[in-house]
Amino acid sequence: MTRSILMPTLARIGALAILFLAVRGSFAEDGSAAWLRYAPVPAAKYESVPSRIVVLGDSITERAAGAELMRGLSSMLGRSFAVDAAARGIPHEKAIVIGSYQALGLKATDNTQLDAGIAEYSIRFTHEGGKARILIAGNSPNAELYGAFHLLEEIGSTQEIPAGETQIASAPIRWTDEWDNLDGTIERGYAGSSFFFKDEHVLTDLQRASDYARLLSSVGIDGCNVNNVNADLDLLTSEHLREFARIADAFRPWGVKLALSIDLTAPQVVGGLPTFDPLDATVTAWWKQKVDEIYSLIPDFGGFTVKADSEGRKGPAQYGRSPADAANVLGRALAPHGGVVLYRGFVYNNHLDWRDPKADRARAGVDNFARFDGQFEPNVIIQIKEGPIDFQAREPVSPLFAALRHTNMALEVQTSQEYTGQQRHMVWLPSMWKWVLDTDLQADNRSTPVKEIVEGQSFPLPDGRSRPGGFISVTNAGIDANWLHHPMAMANLYGFGKLAWNPNQPLDRIIDTWTRLTWGNDPQVDTTIDSLQLKSWQVYEGYTGPNGMGTLTNILGYHFGPGIESAERNGWGQWFRGEEDGIGMDRTAAGTGFAQQYPPPLAAKYDSLASCPDDLLLFFHHVPYDYKLHSGQTLIQSIYDTHYLSARAAGKYVPQWMTLKGRIDDDRYRQVLQLFTYQAGHALVWRDAINDWFHWKSRIADAQGRVGRHDGRMEAENMTTGGYESVDVTPWETASGGKAVVCRSEAGCSLSAPINQPEGRYDVAVQYFDSWRGVSKFELLTNGKSVANWPANDTLPPAQFDPHLDGQTSTRFTVQDVFLKPGDTLVLKGVPDMRGELNAHSREQAAPGAIDPHAREQRDYREFAPVDYIQLGPNGGLTPQD
Ligand code: GCV
C-alpha cells in the first residue's frame, strides 16, 4: 500500500518548515492508492520545481494541500521538499506558493454568470533568471487543494507544468452517493462491505473514509452522501447523528461535505409524531429542529437526498402532497445553514399493468415532476437518472431534463456497475456519460445539451445567473483494498470527477491521464490500456442487450448475468415486448406516447422509424425481426453478428493484456488477467444466451450458421457420467442445451468422453457454475492422468446469495496446451461442497439489491460441482476460445 510511504499527519505540520524525505522503493500494489500512487517520473524534467512549498492560508484544507504537494512531489521527484505552513507572505526566493487569489495578488475570473460558490483555481509557472516560482491560487481552500492536485497530476503524467492555466468547476454539486446501510452492507455494492458502517454504528476507525475523501477531492468531488437512498428508518436519531459527525470530521481536511439520505417518515419513526405529512405544522417544526441539531454537530453539512414514493418508500403521495411540498419543507429547514435537498426524480410505480399497451415506466419522470416545475425552493435540486429506466447499457436520455425549465437539476449516473457487469466486466462508463452529456435535447428549438442543462446554463435563474445544479455518481466503494474490486473500474470514478468538473474534457485525455497515474508512463502500457478502456462500453453493449432493449440482465435477481424474459410480464415495467411478430416497446404517439415527452425535434426523430437511431430502435419501436436497419442489415442478423463480434473483442482483452506482462507490477497484472479471463468467458455466456433466445423467438436462422452450432462442444448431460445427474437450467438460454449436471455425492462424480478430434494440442474449456458460498473442486484428466485442477471459488457478485445455476453463476476454466489424439479419454472429476446447511435460514440481511431488501429466504448453500459443457478449441487460441 502506498499509505506506507511516510506522510506526516496534518496535525504535525506546523508553522515551521518540515523536511520531508521521500521514502522510495517497492511497495505492494494493492490498488488502494488508485491514481494517487505518485510513482517516480523522470526527475530531470522537473528539476526547476522549487523544493520549498509555502502555504499562505491556515485552514485545515489548505494545510492538506501543502502536505499533499510535499507527499506527491517528494515521491515522484525523489528529493526532499519542505512545507512552510501558514506563512506570512509571498517569499522572494524560489517556491511553490499556494493561497487565495487575494493573498497571491491575483484576480479570479470576473464572471457575473457564475454562482459565487463555484470553485476556481489558477496555476502560474514563472521561471526567470533561475528563480522558478509556481503560484497556485484558489477562490476557496477547496479550490486551492484542487489546484495542488492538478499540479501533481500534470507532473505524474509527465506533462509540462502549466505556465498559466485557470480552471473553473462546471457546477456547484459534484457529489458521490454511496448506498451503504447502517448494518455494513451496500446495496448494489460490488467491492465488499461498508467502510463507514457496521452493526448499526459508524466504524471506530475512519481512516479509509478519510482516504476516500482524499481520492474524491483529487478529482474535484466535494460532497459525499454516505448512506443508501433506501435509508435506514431510524437514521436521524441523535445517537446516529453524533456518530455521523465523526465521518464529517474525517472528510473535512479534503473539503468533502457529508450528506445523508433520509426517509420522509422520520418525523413519525424517529420523532414519534402521529404523521409525517410534510404540510403538518408539527412535521415542519420537527424537520427544522432536526436540521438545526445536525448543523450544531456538523457545521458544513451538505444536505439531504430523498427517495420517496418509489420502490416501496413512503412519500408525500400518502397525504395527497406533491414532491414540491415535501422537498420544500426540507429546503426551508436547510436554507439558513446553506444546505441543499437532492430530491430524486426516480419516482415510478413498480406495479404497472403489463397488459396495458399505454402503460410505460419510462414516462414516470415527466408525468410525476413536470407539473411542479417552478414550485421548488431555490435550494432544492431534482436529481435525475441519466435515462428514463435505470442505468441500462443504453437508454435515451431522460426527457425530464428538458421538461423542467424553472427548476434546478442534477444528473445521476452510476459508477457502481449495477447493470454493466458489476465490476467483474471492464466497462468504461465515461464513454456513455459523455454521450448523455452531449445529447442535445433541443428545447425551444435551440441547443440545450444535457451538460448545459445540469450546469444550470440552459434555463438560468431570472437574474441571468446559472441555476445551481450538477453531477452525482452512485459509486458504492467498499472495503476491497482497491475500492471497486476491478482495477480498471476506478477509471470510472476518476472519469466521473473529471466530467463533473468539466463535461467538455476529451475522453482520450481523461483516460490517458488516469492510465499514466494508475499504471505508469510506459507508452506501450498506456496505449494498450487506453484503447481497451475506450472501446469497452461498446463491447459490453454489443454482447448484452441490443438496439436499446435494455441490458437484458436478470432484473428479478441480481442484475448481473443474462435473464432475458425476467423483464417481461411483471409490474417492474422494463418490458421490451418480444413477441412472435416482432420486438420492441412502441413508445411512439401511437404507442405509449413517451417519445412525445421530448421537445418536438427529438420527439419527431424518435417517433419516426426513418430517423430513429439503430442503437435506440427497440426502445421506441416494435418491429419485425427481419426489419432492415439503417446499416442495411436485418435486425436479427445484426444482433447475431454484433454478439459474435463483441464477445470476440472481449476475449481479445486477455492476449492484449498479456503483452504487458513485466511492464507493470505482478499483483495487479495477475488480478486483471483473472478478471479479463472471467469476462471473456462470461461474454460467451451472454452471447449464447441472447443469440439462442432470439433464434428461438424469431425462428430466423443465422445467415452465417453459427447460432446453435458449437463445434468441439461436449454437453455435460450427454457425456458418460459417474454419479452426475442431469438438471434443467432456468432460464433455459443460460446453459448450453438448457441443461447442466450436478453431483450430490460427497465422494464426487465424473464425466467422461472419448476424443474423436485429430491428434494435436488443444485448449480445453470447462463451463461450470460457481456460487460463492461453496467451493467445489474440479480436476481434468486425460487417459487417467491429471492435467489441471482448480477450486470453484470465483467472487461473482450475485453468487454469495444466489445458489441458482444460471447466467449469473456460469463461468469457465480453460486448460491450455492439452495433447489429445483419437481414442483418448477426457475425464472431468467434480467434488461438491456439501458444507452449507440444506435450506438454512439466512440470518444475514437479504442480498444487496434484492427486490425486497428485507426479505429473508430459505437458501441452500451447498454447491454440487455443476457443469454445463466442455469445449475443445485450437491450442493457443488463448483463453477462452469460442
Ligand atoms: C437504491 C434500482 C436499483 C435499486 C436502487 C434504485 C434507486 O431500482 O436496483 O437497488 O435502490 O434503483 O436508484 O433508488
Side-chain angles (χ1 to χ4, degrees), residues 544-806:
T544 57
N547 303 85
M549 280 177 72
T551 309
L552 296 190
T553 186
N554 182 348
I555 73 146
L556 299 179
Y558 299 95
H559 302 185
F560 179 61
I564 304 177
E565 293 203 51
S566 65
E568 298 273 65
R569 295 175 288 280
N570 59 44
W572 292 95
Q574 293 189 213
W575 318 313
F576 51 82
R577 306 229 190 264
E579 317 289 354
E580 302 291 306
D581 71 326
I583 190 158
M585 271 289 282
D586 182 356
R587 292 186 162 107
T588 65
T592 72
F594 167 75
Q596 278 56 46
Q597 290 187 333
Y598 290 90
L602 271 198
K605 173 175 167 181
Y606 292 143
D607 203 77
S608 155
L609 270 171
S611 48
C612 185
D614 285 346
D615 53 17
L616 288 175
L617 175 70
L618 303 177
F619 197 91
F620 287 102
H621 297 272
H622 187 82
V623 296
Y625 295 94
D626 58 0
Y627 175 79
K628 269 256 173 74
L629 300 174
H630 297 304
S631 67
Q633 270 192 313
T634 61
L635 170 67
I636 191 74
Q637 194 57 41
S638 161
I639 289 171
Y640 295 149
D641 289 355
T642 310
H643 282 75
Y644 275 94
L645 271 174
S646 308
R648 185 173 289 266
K652 292 249 163 64
Y653 294 176
V654 176
Q656 283 170 278
W657 184 249
M658 288 169 94
T659 64
L660 303 184
K661 188 166 170 52
R663 292 182 172 269
I664 54 183
D665 53 284
D666 287 348
D667 294 339
R668 292 183 302 162
Y669 173 80
R670 268 197 304 272
Q671 206 181 352
V672 173
L673 182 63
Q674 203 179 355
L675 282 156
F676 279 175
T677 304
Y678 169 74
Q679 179 174 0
H682 203 220
L684 298 180
V685 175
W686 272 100
R687 179 200 72 184
D688 290 349
I690 304 273
N691 280 346
D692 287 354
W693 186 88
F694 271 88
H695 186 209
W696 164 76
K697 199 75 185 173
S698 68
R699 287 165 290 149
I700 300 175
D702 168 21
Q704 295 196 42
R706 297 156 299 187
V707 177
R709 202 190 88 199
H710 301 287
D711 295 340
R713 186 174 288 191
M714 294 175 269
E715 296 294 347
E717 61 275 15
N718 297 337
M719 294 173 76
T720 307
T721 78
Y724 265 117
E725 302 161 28
S726 171
V727 291
D728 290 336
V729 168
T730 313
W732 61 267
E733 71 273 11
T734 58
S736 192
K739 288 186 187 304
V741 297
V742 294
C743 172
R744 295 178 196 277
S745 152
E746 279 194 56
C749 307
S750 64
L751 297 168
S752 59
I755 295 300
N756 304 316
Q757 269 77 0
E759 178 176 316
R761 309 196 83 86
Y762 290 85
D763 283 354
V764 181
V766 178
Q767 192 75 31
Y768 61 102
F769 299 86
D770 187 352
S771 58
W772 194 359
R773 284 290 169 156
V775 182
S776 308
K777 296 203 175 67
F778 292 104
E779 184 177 17
L780 189 76
L781 307 98
T782 53
N783 302 328
K785 213 170 135 236
S786 178
V787 287
N789 62 71
W790 68 98
N793 61 357
D794 275 349
T795 57
L796 308 175
Q800 183 179 12
F801 306 99
D802 186 357
H804 300 115
L805 312 185
D806 59 20

Side-chain angles (χ1 to χ4, degrees), residues 143-180:
E144 292 172 39
L145 178 60
Y146 302 148
F149 274 122
H150 185 55
L151 176 67
L152 290 166
E153 172 169 272
E154 295 292 79
I155 294 175
S157 54
T158 66
Q159 305 301 306
E160 298 305 324
I161 296 178
E165 179 176 345
T166 295
Q167 293 245 359
I168 304 176
S170 66
I173 301 292
R174 303 178 312 279
W175 289 13
T176 69
D177 279 4
E178 312 294 329
W179 288 350
D180 296 36

Side-chain angles (χ1 to χ4, degrees), residues 210-223:
S210 166
D211 293 347
Y212 189 54
R214 172 171 164 259
L215 274 177
L216 297 182
S217 162
S218 72
V219 285
I221 297 171
D222 70 349

